[in-house]
Amino acid sequence: MRTKLILGVAVIAIIFGLYGLAGKLTPQQSSVESSKKETRPVKMYSVWQLKNDTQRAGSVDKTHLRRLKLSEEDAQALNIYDDMLFEYPVGSLYRSSMNVGDILFKTDIVTPNSPDFLDYSLTDGHVPYPLKVSPEAVVGGVIRANSYIDILALTGPVTEASIEVGSSVSARGKAISISPVLMGVKVLRVDQTLIEDASTKKQEVNPDTHLILELNRKQVSVLSVAKQIATLEVHKSVGNYKPAELSADAGDVLPGFKSVIEYRADAITIK
């Protein structure tokens, strides 16, 4: 009987001992788990932040932006759930005025291929004017949205009757000149389409390119006439210069060649 009593007391003692040990281990395990949670790295998102105030329809420039990292909590408060270091095409515009410190979203910019781009890029008093040119007629490097161009007219005799009497045979094919029609014209957009070559199965740029220009009413009239009477060339503007620097005739190429002989009364005027 005594043996049973001693055995019962021993079992109870062991049970209480195990219970106490379990109580000591549980806080330690909880502490370890919470420690693991605390050391878990915080997820960060990269976004574009404005370094200065911007105006509606102003050009987006990399100097306006800086890279900012937000914690997951701060980002989700702004409905940001992924990195937003998106690329923006050259010539993109701000959709509205923004303040320094604002986060830039994709929806805050208007790209040159957006349907509403012209609504933002046109200056008051100007209209969009499409000018169809071939790639060979575009001189002076790549022309993009917000580029500035000079439009030159290349003229020459169309028929034999347009050559003055007395001109040499060589002059009949060389009486030609080029002069500027419009200078410093802003390009709003460049429209090009791709076509597939049936023989090579490769896509190539369509020979026809449309430049959407920003012109006032007078410039529209001048260019409309120039299209009918001359072959037009488009040169990328490279700075301020005089119209005379863009003008030339056959005499500049062939020394001694006089392109036009004009008879007036008893005098001869050579131009």
Side-chain angles (χ1 to χ4, degrees):
M1 183 69 180
R2 175 182 286 183
T3 303
K4 293 181 178 180
L5 181 62
I6 294 173
L7 183 59
V9 172
V11 170
I12 293 172
I14 292 172
I15 292 173
F16 275 104
L18 292 174
Y19 181 79
L21 181 61
K24 291 181 179 180
L25 290 175
T26 301
Q28 291 178 357
Q29 291 175 352
S30 300
S31 176
V32 171
E33 290 177 359
S34 66
S35 175
K36 288 182 179 179
K37 290 181 179 179
E38 290 176 0
T39 57
R40 183 173 65 90
V42 178
K43 190 171 184 179
M44 305 295 289
Y45 295 106
S46 296
V47 298
W48 289 125
Q49 185 185 44
L50 291 175
K51 294 164 56 178
N52 50 276
D53 296 339
T54 62
Q55 299 297 320
R56 180 185 184 276
S59 297
V60 180
D61 192 283
K62 62 181 181 181
T63 59
H64 302 164
L65 308 173
R66 64 183 169 197
R67 181 174 177 172
L68 176 67
K69 288 196 172 185
L70 297 175
S71 66
E72 184 175 13
E73 183 179 355
D74 292 339
Q76 291 180 356
L78 296 172
N79 293 322
I80 298 173
Y81 299 94
D82 202 353
D83 287 339
M84 293 205 315
L85 295 180
F86 54 88
E87 298 291 334
Y88 47 88
V90 175
S92 297
L93 306 175
Y94 294 107
R95 192 175 293 276
S96 60
S97 298
M98 302 182 70
N99 299 319
V100 58
D102 287 349
I103 304 300
L104 186 68
F105 292 81
K106 275 189 176 181
T107 53
D108 292 325
I109 65 173
V110 185
T111 60
N113 58 353
S114 299
D116 54 348
F117 180 77
L118 295 182
D119 296 334
Y120 287 86
S121 55
L122 271 177
T123 305
D124 291 342
H126 292 70
V127 296
Y129 185 93
L131 178 63
K132 181 179 177 181
V133 296
S134 64
E136 292 78 10
V138 179
V139 181
V142 178
I143 294 176
R144 305 185 181 93
N146 285 342
S147 296
Y148 286 85
I149 62 170
D150 302 321
I151 302 174
L152 284 70
L154 187 64
T155 58
V158 179
T159 64
E160 293 292 325
S162 61
I163 300 293
E164 295 292 340
V165 176
S167 297
S168 65
V169 175
S170 61
R172 295 175 187 272
K174 298 173 182 176
I176 191 170
S177 65
I178 189 169
S179 57
V181 177
L182 297 174
M183 298 177 63
V185 174
K186 183 179 180 180
V187 177
L188 300 176
R189 190 167 67 197
V190 179
D191 287 340
Q192 289 181 321
T193 55
L194 295 177
I195 56 175
E196 185 175 302
D197 190 329
S199 59
T200 61
K201 299 297 182 181
K202 294 182 179 180
Q203 286 190 330
E204 298 179 353
V205 176
N206 191 306
D208 294 329
T209 298
H210 286 84
L211 304 180
I212 311 301
L213 310 178
E214 181 184 67
L215 303 180
N216 57 37
R217 295 296 180 183
K218 178 61 176 178
Q219 289 174 322
V220 169
S221 300
V222 172
L223 189 54
S224 297
V225 173
K227 287 168 59 177
Q228 300 301 318
I229 64 174
T231 301
L232 299 182
E233 282 194 357
V234 176
H235 293 203
K236 187 173 182 179
S237 294
V238 293
N240 295 323
Y241 34 79
K242 298 178 180 179
E245 297 181 51
L246 297 177
S247 301
D249 58 27
D252 296 313
V253 179
L254 302 173
F257 172 71
K258 307 303 180 182
S259 60
V260 178
I261 300 179
E262 181 181 349
Y263 293 91
R264 290 186 179 180
D266 58 347
I268 297 178
T269 303
I270 298 177
K271 297 183 179 180

